[in-house]
Amino acid sequence: MAVVPLLGDGDAAPEAVAVFDEIRARRGTDYVNNFWRALAHDPVELRDVWDSIDRVMADGALDPLTKELIYIAVSTAHGCSYCVHSHTAGARAKGLTPDMHRELLAVIALASRTNALATSLGVPVDERFDVSDR
Amino acid sequence: MAVVPLLGDGDAAPEAVAVFDEIRARRGTDYVNNFWRALAHDPVELRDVWDSIDRVMADGALDPLTKELIYIAVSTAHGCSYCVHSHTAGARAKGLTPDMHRELLAVIALASRTNALATSLGVPVDERFDVSDR
Amino acid sequence: MAVVPLLGDGDAAPEAVAVFDEIRARRGTDYVNNFWRALAHDPVELRDVWDSIDRVMADGALDPLTKELIYIAVSTAHGCSYCVHSHTAGARAKGLTPDMHRELLAVIALASRTNALATSLGVPVDERFDVSDR
Amino acid sequence: MAVVPLLGDGDAAPEAVAVFDEIRARRGTDYVNNFWRALAHDPVELRDVWDSIDRVMADGALDPLTKELIYIAVSTAHGCSYCVHSHTAGARAKGLTPDMHRELLAVIALASRTNALATSLGVPVDERFDVSDR
Amino acid sequence: MAVVPLLGDGDAAPEAVAVFDEIRARRGTDYVNNFWRALAHDPVELRDVWDSIDRVMADGALDPLTKELIYIAVSTAHGCSYCVHSHTAGARAKGLTPDMHRELLAVIALASRTNALATSLGVPVDERFDVSDR
Amino acid sequence: MAVVPLLGDGDAAPEAVAVFDEIRARRGTDYVNNFWRALAHDPVELRDVWDSIDRVMADGALDPLTKELIYIAVSTAHGCSYCVHSHTAGARAKGLTPDMHRELLAVIALASRTNALATSLGVPVDERFDVSDR
């Protein structure tokens, strides 16, 4: 399924193919996954997303693997199956071990459980957690 | 607001106060935050949640601070304001720096953006991301 | 907060006040809660929602209290704090006991946990769960 | 997949087939899509949903295509793949151009990003946005 | 699809197979569904989830079928297709009738509608719904 | 509440104040709302979000008001109260009438209802909605 064609190199605009080429070069593979081929229907958004990933997912105060774990957590909570699959693959490419994966999923599951409890109880935020005027 | 009373030590069942005491001992503080005081209306669930946090959030293949980052990511995507506030405070207590916080939020925001793109495009999962029978 | 005025009987259209009167008569109280006063900015939608509640929440194959439990579960998962508060009050008016409330929240929390696990694992639906052509 | 049979004209109740006929007449096609065939297991809800669509999606202060864009936005945020696919097709039938589609998805993606930022920052609503007692 | 292998009895750890055996014994069937086979990659979490289901879904102040209805409601709101399918099958095994199913879905749909209205209107919670200090 | 300080012009970095100045100039007001003051803790993300809004929300194939409607729809479905309030105010500044607002909310509510139905029924996407290889 998809609501737009998945564009191959022969169908995409030159600006989109340029991004495909950067993806291939960065990853050292010929394969460009479906997300990018679908997003290529909008070369401007494609370029902006790719550049944002470059900026945001780079090594910094947090390392790239930790960032992939956060990505998987968000994708799970949003119910984005595509993103869970692609970023779990991406995390493995960056060093995710089975033990890390197990712990990641256990934390996501626990957070989902206590999120539901806090919301169904209507718990008011403690004053001490507010730092808006510090 | 809250849909149950926030129980103080004088109102809670002994099994709940026992958990309050463990929370205080673990954190080295007299303060027990509202989540636990609301959850104390169910001492069995309170005990199970506290023990699960003990098991799941402990140092392992992932360190406790990384686990808090994942927790904040899930809580954001579920729109749980209480959890965002309490776990951001918790992460700070475990060493979250302003730079790490900035990067965490940028990753959450980027993931939310691409989750929406993948879902609105209806992108099919690439065969190579499937490891169900490996 | 609110993005529209909360309309009192003196400000609302006659069609909206007619619904307010039905709410008061049905509940045996003078109080009309904020949801209805905000929704009164659209008397047509107000009427349709009230009539739908009348139809859907009535006693049937499921009793009205069970239906309130389902309502609270959905409201929690959507992060609608208003709805959690109002329907917990509504459930109490229909006989919700503290024990039932405890069990309700434990089920919501467990489902939230396993939902997250199923999604983060990308589990494919078993063929035997498909009844589309039976 | 589906948790109920997808009912054909020969299997559905007469009240459901009557709705199928209205769908076909309105759209000028023999095809009735799966959503309606699944919902036909409840002819009362089927009728009410169809009539609500008739009322809510009609031309008014907002035109029908704008309403489809809003529908796609909600469906994306709820992670409803079926709805994204069916309403993107519906929007195209009402005049959605590729440029409009690109802009729609870019807005959905941006909103998802800033929603996540506002929630993860715990930003309090500005007093001036409150119009509850105006 | 799946991001981990679905483990058969020959591939899973003994601790996981022990849970599989309990599932089969409890349900009186040889079949172990995909959720458990995926979760078996983490025998500790598998055990904890299975024991939690045992504790939480047991007959109590709420009966097991009512608990399944709540489970389906949460799973729908989280967009977990797997969970909707498996728990609808589970509810049928516990006595869900077509009439009950119709009413369940109508309540879920109505709650989803009014959740959206309350949130888009920004309705403030009525003081009388607050029981935090009672 | 907030998990970071809301920065005034005297506390924010010069790069952030530069964005504040652009916001004020664009809107013809001295007021900078809380979202920007919270996001100012990360001047790089602040700049990128502001520039993205400039690019994405500009007049194009869709007009700016239609884009605000889509924004409100997404914000509602994500349960972001802040965003609902700020973008409803923004939409009013761009010409949202009470009639348009009523219709917007009715569409959001209807979509939320049918999203829930499609998900709880597990409806498979019709083949004809797939345009992935066209």
Side-chain angles (χ1 to χ4, degrees):
Chain A
M1 291 292 154
V3 303
V4 294
L6 303 178
L7 299 179
D9 284 51
D11 305 309
E15 297 85 350
V17 176
V19 176
F20 290 175
D21 287 338
E22 290 180 32
I23 293 171
R24 282 186 280 245
R26 171 71 52 89
R27 297 179 176 172
T29 169
D30 271 353
Y31 191 75
V32 174
N33 55 299
N34 291 345
F35 175 72
W36 303 108
R37 296 199 172 283
L39 190 53
H41 81 116
D42 183 349
V44 175
E45 186 76 5
L46 172 70
R47 163 58 63 192
D48 195 76
V49 170
W50 175 248
D51 287 350
S52 293
I53 286 179
D54 208 43
R55 170 176 72 85
V56 172
M57 302 299 284
D59 196 27
L62 301 176
D63 64 273
L65 177 53
T66 296
K67 291 179 174 182
E68 288 290 348
L69 304 181
I70 295 162
Y71 221 111
I72 294 169
V74 172
S75 302
T76 297
H78 282 139
C80 182
S81 179
Y82 185 87
C83 312
V84 167
H85 279 86
S86 63
H87 284 275
T88 301
R92 284 195 174 114
K94 292 179 182 171
L96 181 76
T97 65
D99 274 345
M100 295 166 77
H101 193 220
R102 276 187 275 274
E103 295 188 14
L104 167 66
L105 267 53
V107 175
I108 292 173
L110 177 61
S112 299
R113 179 187 181 192
T114 62
N115 286 180
L117 286 170
T119 299
S120 59
L121 288 164
V123 189
V125 181
D126 302 67
E127 288 298 327
R128 65 174 55 197
F129 295 150
D130 180 20
V131 298
S132 58
D133 54 3
R134 277 180 210 172
Chain B
M1 290 292 155
V3 303
V4 295
L6 302 178
L7 299 179
D9 285 50
D11 306 309
E15 297 85 349
V17 176
V19 176
F20 289 175
D21 286 339
E22 290 180 34
I23 292 172
R24 281 186 280 244
R26 171 69 52 90
R27 296 179 176 172
T29 170
D30 273 351
Y31 192 74
V32 174
N33 54 300
N34 291 345
F35 175 73
W36 303 108
R37 296 199 172 283
L39 191 53
H41 82 116
D42 184 349
V44 175
E45 186 77 5
L46 174 70
R47 164 59 61 193
D48 196 76
V49 169
W50 176 248
D51 288 350
S52 293
I53 286 179
D54 208 42
R55 170 175 72 85
V56 172
M57 301 300 284
D59 196 27
L62 301 177
D63 63 274
L65 177 53
T66 296
K67 291 179 174 182
E68 287 291 348
L69 303 181
I70 295 162
Y71 220 112
I72 294 168
V74 172
S75 302
T76 297
H78 282 141
C80 182
S81 179
Y82 185 87
C83 312
V84 166
H85 279 86
S86 62
H87 284 276
T88 301
R92 284 196 174 114
K94 292 178 182 172
L96 181 76
T97 65
D99 273 345
M100 295 167 77
H101 193 221
R102 276 187 276 275
E103 294 188 14
L104 167 66
L105 267 53
V107 175
I108 292 173
L110 177 61
S112 300
R113 180 186 181 192
T114 62
N115 287 179
L117 286 170
T119 299
S120 59
L121 288 163
V123 188
V125 182
D126 302 67
E127 287 299 326
R128 67 173 55 197
F129 294 150
D130 181 20
V131 298
S132 57
D133 54 4
R134 278 181 207 168
Chain C
M1 291 291 155
V3 303
V4 294
L6 302 178
L7 299 179
D9 284 51
D11 306 308
E15 297 85 350
V17 177
V19 175
F20 289 175
D21 287 339
E22 290 180 32
I23 293 172
R24 281 187 279 245
R26 171 69 52 90
R27 297 179 176 172
T29 169
D30 271 352
Y31 191 74
V32 174
N33 55 299
N34 291 343
F35 176 72
W36 303 108
R37 296 199 172 282
L39 190 54
H41 81 115
D42 184 348
V44 174
E45 186 76 5
L46 173 69
R47 163 58 63 192
D48 196 75
V49 169
W50 175 247
D51 286 350
S52 293
I53 286 180
D54 207 43
R55 171 176 71 86
V56 172
M57 301 300 283
D59 195 28
L62 301 177
D63 64 274
L65 177 53
T66 296
K67 291 180 174 181
E68 288 291 347
L69 304 182
I70 295 162
Y71 220 111
I72 294 168
V74 172
S75 302
T76 297
H78 282 141
C80 181
S81 179
Y82 185 87
C83 312
V84 167
H85 279 84
S86 61
H87 284 276
T88 301
R92 284 194 175 117
K94 292 179 181 171
L96 181 75
T97 66
D99 274 346
M100 294 167 77
H101 193 221
R102 277 188 274 276
E103 295 188 15
L104 168 66
L105 268 53
V107 174
I108 293 173
L110 177 61
S112 300
R113 179 187 182 192
T114 62
N115 286 179
L117 287 170
T119 300
S120 59
L121 288 163
V123 188
V125 181
D126 302 67
E127 288 298 328
R128 66 173 54 195
F129 294 151
D130 180 20
V131 299
S132 58
D133 54 4
R134 277 180 210 170
Chain D
M1 291 291 154
V3 303
V4 295
L6 302 178
L7 299 180
D9 285 50
D11 305 309
E15 297 84 350
V17 176
V19 176
F20 290 175
D21 287 339
E22 289 180 33
I23 293 172
R24 282 187 279 244
R26 171 70 52 89
R27 297 179 175 173
T29 170
D30 271 352
Y31 191 74
V32 174
N33 54 298
N34 291 345
F35 175 72
W36 302 108
R37 296 199 172 283
L39 189 55
H41 82 116
D42 184 347
V44 175
E45 186 77 5
L46 173 69
R47 163 59 62 192
D48 196 76
V49 169
W50 175 246
D51 287 350
S52 293
I53 286 180
D54 208 44
R55 170 176 72 86
V56 172
M57 302 299 283
D59 195 26
L62 301 177
D63 64 274
L65 176 53
T66 296
K67 291 180 175 181
E68 288 291 347
L69 303 181
I70 295 163
Y71 220 113
I72 293 168
V74 172
S75 302
T76 297
H78 282 140
C80 181
S81 179
Y82 185 87
C83 312
V84 166
H85 279 85
S86 62
H87 284 275
T88 301
R92 283 192 175 116
K94 292 178 181 173
L96 180 76
T97 66
D99 274 346
M100 294 167 76
H101 193 222
R102 277 188 275 273
E103 294 188 15
L104 167 66
L105 267 53
V107 175
I108 292 173
L110 177 61
S112 300
R113 180 188 182 191
T114 62
N115 287 179
L117 286 170
T119 299
S120 59
L121 288 164
V123 189
V125 182
D126 302 67
E127 288 298 327
R128 66 174 55 196
F129 294 150
D130 180 21
V131 298
S132 58
D133 54 4
R134 276 180 209 170
Chain E
M1 291 292 154
V3 303
V4 296
L6 302 178
L7 299 179
D9 285 50
D11 306 309
E15 297 85 349
V17 176
V19 176
F20 290 174
D21 288 338
E22 290 179 32
I23 293 171
R24 282 186 279 245
R26 171 69 54 90
R27 296 179 176 172
T29 170
D30 272 353
Y31 192 75
V32 174
N33 55 298
N34 291 345
F35 175 73
W36 302 109
R37 296 199 172 283
L39 190 54
H41 82 114
D42 183 347
V44 175
E45 186 76 5
L46 173 69
R47 164 58 63 192
D48 196 77
V49 170
W50 175 246
D51 287 350
S52 293
I53 286 180
D54 208 42
R55 170 175 72 86
V56 172
M57 300 300 284
D59 196 27
L62 301 177
D63 63 275
L65 177 52
T66 296
K67 290 179 175 183
E68 288 291 347
L69 304 181
I70 296 162
Y71 221 112
I72 293 169
V74 172
S75 302
T76 297
H78 282 141
C80 182
S81 179
Y82 185 86
C83 312
V84 167
H85 279 85
S86 62
H87 284 276
T88 301
R92 284 196 174 113
K94 291 178 183 173
L96 180 76
T97 64
D99 274 345
M100 295 167 76
H101 193 221
R102 275 187 276 275
E103 294 188 13
L104 167 65
L105 268 53
V107 175
I108 293 173
L110 177 61
S112 300
R113 179 187 182 192
T114 62
N115 286 179
L117 286 171
T119 299
S120 59
L121 288 164
V123 189
V125 181
D126 301 68
E127 288 298 326
R128 66 173 56 195
F129 294 151
D130 182 20
V131 298
S132 59
D133 54 5
R134 277 180 211 171
Chain F
M1 292 291 154
V3 304
V4 295
L6 302 179
L7 299 179
D9 285 50
D11 306 308
E15 297 85 349
V17 177
V19 175
F20 290 175
D21 287 339
E22 289 180 32
I23 293 172
R24 282 187 279 245
R26 171 69 52 88
R27 296 180 175 172
T29 170
D30 273 352
Y31 191 74
V32 174
N33 55 299
N34 291 344
F35 175 73
W36 303 108
R37 296 200 171 283
L39 189 55
H41 82 115
D42 183 348
V44 175
E45 186 77 5
L46 174 70
R47 164 58 65 192
D48 196 76
V49 169
W50 176 247
D51 287 351
S52 293
I53 286 179
D54 209 42
R55 170 176 70 86
V56 172
M57 300 300 282
D59 195 27
L62 301 177
D63 63 275
L65 177 52
T66 296
K67 290 180 174 181
E68 287 292 347
L69 304 181
I70 295 163
Y71 221 111
I72 294 169
V74 172
S75 303
T76 297
H78 282 140
C80 181
S81 179
Y82 185 87
C83 312
V84 166
H85 279 85
S86 63
H87 284 276
T88 301
R92 284 194 174 116
K94 291 178 182 173
L96 181 75
T97 66
D99 274 345
M100 294 167 77
H101 193 223
R102 276 187 276 275
E103 294 187 16
L104 167 66
L105 268 54
V107 175
I108 293 173
L110 176 62
S112 299
R113 179 186 181 192
T114 61
N115 286 179
L117 287 170
T119 299
S120 59
L121 289 164
V123 189
V125 182
D126 303 67
E127 288 299 325
R128 67 173 55 196
F129 294 150
D130 182 21
V131 298
S132 58
D133 54 4
R134 281 181 205 171

